[in-house]
Amino acid sequence: MPLTSPRRSALVDQVIAQLRNQITSGEWPVGSRIPTEPELVELMGVARNTVREAVRALAHNGLLDIRQGSGTYVIATSELAGVMHRRFAGAEPRHIAELRSTLESSAARLAAERRTERDLVQLDALLARREEAWAGGDAEVFVAADVSLHMAVVTASHNDVLIELYADLGELVADWLRADVGTVLDPAAHLDHARLIEAIRRGDGDAAASEAAGYPFVCLGKDGTGGTGGTGGTGGGKCGEVKDAGGGTDAQGAPVTPVGG
């Protein structure tokens, strides 16, 4: 939606609300650079100091990142997401995996019970997009497609609280996957998600939960510190490298069998 000129008092609050709406509506997606300060002044018809104060407030709340000499970028879609991103960005990879396993397995079980035909159409489309992204070889495109598929599984649970919580964790999950995958996709490291979608389709909650619970742990190295892609800069991580990952355990400590591509 277009930005408009605020007409009431408390201009800063109104500007904050409009900028936040641009973010939460997806007009300014995570990772994008927002218009410059002069551009916002012209678009909104307010003083430079008003825009500056509003941008700083959203940066303080964790939605924006002000990078000197580069611009201001969207880093989260809500205040809670921003707080989570700052608080857990340096968390142990195994702890992130355990959190993902707990949330995603619960969501997959609910999705198997509650999914609609519309949900299945969306899951099939996103699974195909994920496969295309892998085949295309662009790591960032693949990470985005993978996160979108997992978000769709959670959405199919039709549990509003779980959906909102997972959405707020989305960028943290994406950052973790970027570090694991690296910048080059290794064909031998492909991790197939088709069995998860098929379990949801046939309404098999146990199978869906088991599939979803294991995926995060396959991405951990033997020492539980995560893949090597993020530190090596170019190499792929361990996500899907069955012979190296060994499967790991789920959030309750039970063995998990890797699901290789």
Side-chain angles (χ1 to χ4, degrees), residues 164-185:
E164 289 296 327
L165 177 60
Y166 194 84
D168 285 332
L169 285 169
E171 264 310 293
L172 184 64
V173 172
D175 284 349
W176 184 68
L177 286 172
R178 287 187 191 100
D180 183 80
V181 169
T183 58
V184 177
L185 299 180

Side-chain angles (χ1 to χ4, degrees), residues 70-90:
S70 177
T72 300
Y73 294 80
V74 179
I75 59 173
T77 56
S78 72
E79 279 80 0
L80 179 57
V83 169
M84 286 186 176
H85 192 273
R86 291 198 306 271
R87 175 64 180 82
F88 300 123

